């Protein structure tokens, strides 16, 4: 069990070699050239491990690479100009048995024999992965309040997003019609708010909308009334509500509050300073009005 306030990170559970390769891709994507010794020191592994990881990455990402070279001391790589870092990282995550088993658990597939047969893993390997997955779920969903059900669905959705952003296996169960609507709403919201998200941020927002539309009836979110009272007075909340009403989408205030919170976790990449200034003054004045002690 984590201590109070301790953040549960999915990276603590994903296979160490997968996380290491993800970090190596991030370094190479930004820097193009790496000193092997410095990379080994930063990632806490040996010189030879970095070289072995690089060789595996080159094979795994072959179609996305224009040129690469490995010398006795340096790694050099040029990815194709149209490729994005998120696309490269997701390919690495696809090799994670832990993430695939997490996805299966979310979809209700946690039978030993199914995992052994369909994931081509030994019984011993499956047993260890299942234990890791169950520990992660237990920690990620541990009660945040005295009334566990009050925060459970919100935690559940963040857990799903943590896995879905890395592993495409959950795509096998999506409702295509709902996903199309989610993309439409994401595009409209970002257009109205003049916000330009990168692919990672856009995907996160789109999937969050999908979870809201697909789970609102079976697994609705819950927020304390004082939280709802504050959110209902917000400009983002009311703009979201108008968009969904305009499209005859029956979304509860709690679901709109959930999407408001999701949106506020994303960067604000406005094309002009004027929009940023308006948003800043709005948030500032609202906080001072609501919480006199801030003033």
């Amino acid at each position: 069990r984590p201590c109070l306030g301790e953040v549960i990170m999915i990276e603590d559970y994903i296979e160490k070699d997968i996380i290491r390769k993800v970090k190596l891709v991030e370094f190479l994507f930004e820097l193009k050239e790496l000193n092997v010794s410095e990379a080994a020191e930063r990632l806490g592994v040996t010189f030879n491990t970095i070289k072995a990881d690089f060789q595996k990455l080159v094979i795994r990402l072959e179609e996305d690479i224009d040129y690469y070279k490995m010398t006795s001391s340096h790694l050099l790589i040029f990815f194709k100009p149209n490729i994005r870092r998120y696309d490269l990282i997701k390919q690495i995550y696809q090799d994670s048995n832990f993430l695939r088993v997490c996805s299966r658990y979310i979809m209700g597939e946690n039978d030993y024999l199914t995992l052994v047969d369909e994931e081509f893993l030994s019984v011993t390997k499956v047993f260890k992965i299942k234990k890791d997955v169950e520990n992660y779920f237990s920690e990620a969903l541990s009660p945040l309040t005295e009334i566990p059900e009050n925060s459970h669905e919100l935690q559940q959705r963040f857990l799903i997003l943590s896995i879905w952003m890395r592993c495409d296996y959950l795509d096998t169960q999506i409702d295509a019609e709902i996903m199309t609507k989610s993309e439409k709403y994401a595009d409209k919201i970002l257009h109205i708010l003049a916000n330009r998200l990168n692919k990672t941020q856009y995907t996160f927002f789109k999937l969050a909308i999908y979870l809201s539309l697909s789970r609102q009836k079976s697994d609705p979110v819950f927020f304390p009334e004082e939280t709802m009272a504050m959110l209902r007075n917000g400009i983002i909340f009311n703009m979201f509500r108008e968009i969904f009403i305009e499209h005859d989408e029956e979304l509860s205030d709690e679901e709109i509050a959930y999407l408001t919170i999701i949106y506020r976790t994303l960067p604000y990449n406005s094309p002009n300073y004027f929009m940023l200034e308006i948003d800043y003054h709005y948030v500032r004045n609202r906080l001072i009005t609501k919480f006199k002690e801030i003033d």
Side-chain angles (χ1 to χ4, degrees):
R1 273 272 191 264
C3 299
L4 185 63
E6 182 181 346
V7 179
I8 304 304
M9 302 292 287
I10 193 171
E11 287 84 359
D12 295 335
Y13 286 89
I14 297 172
E15 298 90 336
K16 287 183 172 57
D17 65 312
I18 297 290
I19 294 297
R20 192 172 63 243
K21 289 171 190 168
V22 165
K23 289 180 179 177
L24 194 55
V25 166
E26 289 178 334
F27 294 158
L28 289 165
F29 187 85
E30 295 296 333
L31 303 173
K32 306 296 186 290
E33 186 175 12
L34 273 182
N35 179 289
V36 180
S37 296
E38 289 178 2
E41 183 179 354
R42 175 162 293 203
L43 295 176
V45 293
T46 66
F47 185 94
N48 289 335
T49 298
I50 293 295
K51 285 200 162 189
D53 283 347
F54 182 76
Q55 290 173 326
K56 292 173 185 175
L57 285 178
V58 166
I59 295 172
R60 185 71 173 84
L61 305 175
E62 181 182 9
E63 295 182 0
D64 302 311
I65 297 172
D66 268 342
Y67 174 80
Y68 73 91
K69 183 179 180 181
M70 182 168 66
T71 69
S72 58
S73 60
H74 284 77
L75 308 175
L76 178 67
I77 196 165
F78 290 98
F79 294 105
K80 291 183 178 177
N82 61 333
I83 199 70
R84 303 177 191 229
R85 181 172 61 177
Y86 179 58
D87 297 320
L88 297 170
I89 290 171
K90 278 200 81 172
Q91 288 189 60
I92 305 303
Y93 277 132
Q94 301 315 306
D95 295 332
S96 169
N97 293 321
F98 173 80
L99 287 173
R100 285 203 303 276
V101 174
C102 279
S103 300
R104 286 180 176 275
Y105 260 65
I106 290 171
M107 294 160 61
E109 302 172 5
N110 55 11
D111 177 68
Y112 266 105
L113 294 178
T114 301
L115 293 172
V116 170
D117 290 342
E118 297 189 9
E119 293 295 337
F120 304 105
L121 300 170
S122 68
V123 173
T124 304
K125 185 76 171 174
V126 167
F127 180 80
K128 183 187 182 306
I129 295 171
K130 272 176 64 73
K131 188 176 180 181
D132 287 343
V133 169
E134 288 164 2
N135 285 340
Y136 170 60
F137 277 43
S138 174
E139 293 189 354
L141 299 176
S142 60
L144 296 177
T145 64
E146 293 180 1
I147 308 174
E149 57 271 22
N150 284 3
S151 62
H152 182 80
E153 175 59 17
L154 191 62
Q155 291 173 272
Q156 180 77 21
R157 293 191 191 184
F158 275 108
L159 182 148
I160 293 171
L161 287 170
S162 294
I163 295 160
W164 204 352
M165 286 293 293
R166 294 169 172 84
C167 182
D168 289 337
Y169 192 79
L170 287 170
D171 287 351
T172 59
Q173 276 199 353
I174 64 169
D175 182 312
E177 184 179 345
I178 295 178
M179 185 59 79
T180 299
K181 283 166 57 172
S182 301
E183 291 176 356
K184 178 183 71 176
Y185 290 134
D187 291 342
K188 179 148 193 171
I189 288 167
L190 295 173
H191 175 71
I192 291 174
L193 289 170
N195 195 357
R196 298 175 296 188
L197 301 180
N198 65 31
K199 185 175 180 180
T200 311
Q201 297 153 0
Y202 176 82
T203 302
F204 181 77
F205 189 43
K206 176 187 71 175
L207 295 182
I209 296 173
Y210 178 89
L211 291 180
S212 190
L213 296 179
S214 61
R215 295 173 67 91
Q216 61 171 324
K217 292 181 180 177
S218 60
D219 301 279
V221 291
F222 174 87
F223 293 102
E225 188 49 48
E226 60 269 24
T227 302
M228 287 302 302
M230 182 177 180
L231 289 171
R232 283 192 184 99
N233 291 325
I235 190 171
I236 301 294
F237 178 94
N238 286 288
M239 191 215 72
F240 281 17
R241 178 194 267 165
E242 287 179 15
I243 289 174
F244 290 115
I245 290 175
E246 179 187 338
H247 290 86
D248 298 319
E249 192 71 58
E250 296 181 5
L251 215 58
S252 69
D253 280 4
E254 286 76 13
E255 294 294 344
I256 294 172
Y258 157 71
L259 294 178
T260 301
I261 291 169
I262 288 287
Y263 180 79
R264 278 299 187 186
T265 68
L266 298 169
Y268 190 15
N269 277 322
S270 174
N272 60 68
Y273 175 75
F274 178 67
M275 292 292 291
L276 290 170
E277 189 175 28
I278 288 177
D279 187 64
Y280 164 73
H281 283 295
Y282 163 73
V283 174
R284 179 182 183 277
N285 293 336
R286 187 158 174 252
L287 286 174
I288 289 175
T289 302
K290 186 71 178 177
F291 303 102
K292 296 298 183 184
E293 63 272 22
I294 292 178
D295 195 21

